[in-house]
Amino acid sequence: MTRRTSRWLSAAAMAGVALLLPVAAGAAGSRAGIGLGARATLGAGVKLVGGSGARLQAVSGSAVQADARLGVRGASTALAAAKGGAAAGGGDRTGGKVVVTWGADLTAGEKAALAALLSVPEGAVELTVTNAEEHRLLGAHFDARTIGSRAISSVLVRPAPSGSGIRVTTRHITTVTPAMYENALATAGIRDAEVTVAAPFDVSGTAALAGILKAYETAAGTALAPERKAVAPAEVAQTIRLARAVGNPDLAAAFMTRLKERMAQHPSNSPESIRRLIRSVAADLGVRLSDEMVDELVVLVQKMKAANVDWQGVHDQLAKARAELHAFLGTDTPLLRAWVDRIYGWLTQFLTLVRQWLA
């Protein structure tokens, strides 16, 4: 917890706001983070209950989110919520099949090494993806050099319980981050799956998207909607360009996650309304985007809309990406600093009025 946060929490207690000690020692959430909109984690075991006569209340073992309106709700991490939903829902969306897609140009030694790295279970369905397939799916969005001339990246798709969302891990993938994959796969229509992307040596990971989509369709026993399947590589390409523009791939992935959250909340239709939404997300994350980058993002959102992307469905699948977003925003961001400063100012003014009244 930052020194400034500690100061205004102490001030709140002095002002007669009820502060209860944490029920569980060592509860998670000591690092500040921002949730949807202007919410922020106050810290371990502390909840601000809004409305008239706001008060602080203890919460056992969970981070708590508060927004700038002083209306509040306690919450576990998005990842924990996803796990809870999975336990309640049961079942999975892939029929229980574990599918591995091998790059067609792997040597026998490379394939053996990847089998160990991926922990391929006995009885897994095994497929092959060729470099020609990679070029057919990705050629409109990446140049031939980026895709390469050999199919190397391999993928394991494991079914997950309903409500778990999409979770991606990577090995030897240097350019496409797990959150980038998760965002693109949710856009493509993939649901409730654990995906591992790996290569025998460092590769960019762009071509792996073809193997993921092929593996999932086999595991689920159904084809993804062609229009949504087509827009997924466009999203990966755009997120990579955004990462280069802002100098941080995690920030670029966080931007796409937040943009989809906002689209789920406030669907925008016209190019101007989409542009305003993009600018708003950029301001939230403290990044500066060129007009050219904003225009590219507007085009991407329009492609998603034309592909009939279900924004709420995408949002629901991104539990892990949202948790990573909140963790990423737990660092010192302009939005967090402004929020804490505003709350601290309000509490300082309130204390001054109380002291004047008591005097």
Side-chain angles (χ1 to χ4, degrees), residues 187-209:
T187 295
I190 287 179
R191 305 184 69 180
D192 302 323
E194 295 180 4
V195 178
T196 305
V197 184
F201 45 81
D202 286 353
V203 298
S204 68
T206 53
L209 190 60

Side-chain angles (χ1 to χ4, degrees), residues 31-290:
R31 183 172 67 168
I34 292 186
L36 190 60
R39 302 184 180 94
T41 301
L42 302 184
V46 181
K47 179 171 72 174
L48 180 62
V49 180
S52 59
R55 62 192 178 89
L56 292 171
Q57 174 181 308
V59 178
S60 174
S62 66
V64 184
Q65 294 177 328
D67 66 26
R69 298 184 302 275
L70 295 185
V72 198
R73 60 192 178 104
S76 300
T77 63
L79 184 56
K83 287 181 179 178
D92 61 66
R93 300 200 180 264
T94 59
K97 297 178 183 177
V98 176
V99 179
V100 59
T101 302
W102 302 110
D105 298 305
L106 290 168
T107 66
E110 290 169 342
K111 185 174 179 180
L114 281 180
L117 188 62
L118 291 169
S119 299
V120 179
E122 186 177 350
V125 178
E126 298 189 49
L127 307 173
T128 299
V129 65
T130 67
N131 185 246
E133 288 178 285
E134 294 173 343
H135 279 273
R136 280 197 298 271
L137 178 67
L138 308 170
H141 311 289
F142 297 96
D143 59 43
R145 183 176 179 180
T146 299
I147 300 172
S149 59
R150 300 172 63 211
I152 296 295
S153 301
S154 299
V155 175
L156 185 137
V157 173
R158 189 183 302 274
S162 179
S164 295
I166 302 167
R167 305 166 193 272
V168 177
T169 56
T170 61
R171 301 287 187 274
H172 294 299
I173 303 300
T174 60
T175 300
V176 186
T177 68
M180 288 183 190
Y181 282 123
E182 287 158 3
N183 268 289
L185 299 185
T187 295
I190 287 179
R191 305 184 69 180
D192 302 323
E194 295 180 4
V195 178
T196 305
V197 184
F201 45 81
D202 286 353
V203 298
S204 68
T206 53
L209 190 60
I212 299 174
L213 298 178
K214 184 173 184 177
Y216 179 82
E217 288 182 320
T218 299
T222 184
L224 296 166
E227 61 274 13
R228 292 183 64 173
K229 188 175 175 179
V231 81
E235 179 177 343
V236 172
Q238 185 61 57
T239 308
I240 291 173
R241 287 196 291 274
L242 179 61
R244 291 169 180 160
V246 301
N248 187 325
D250 292 325
L251 180 56
F255 182 97
M256 297 306 298
T257 302
R258 176 61 65 87
L259 179 59
K260 290 176 180 179
E261 284 184 336
R262 296 291 296 276
M263 285 297 295
Q265 280 190 313
H266 308 290
S268 300
N269 295 313
S270 69
E272 280 309 311
S273 63
I274 295 171
R275 184 172 282 102
R276 286 193 298 269
L277 187 62
I278 290 168
R279 291 288 190 192
S280 175
V281 172
D284 283 352
L285 301 185
V287 299
R288 302 182 70 176
L289 300 179
S290 67

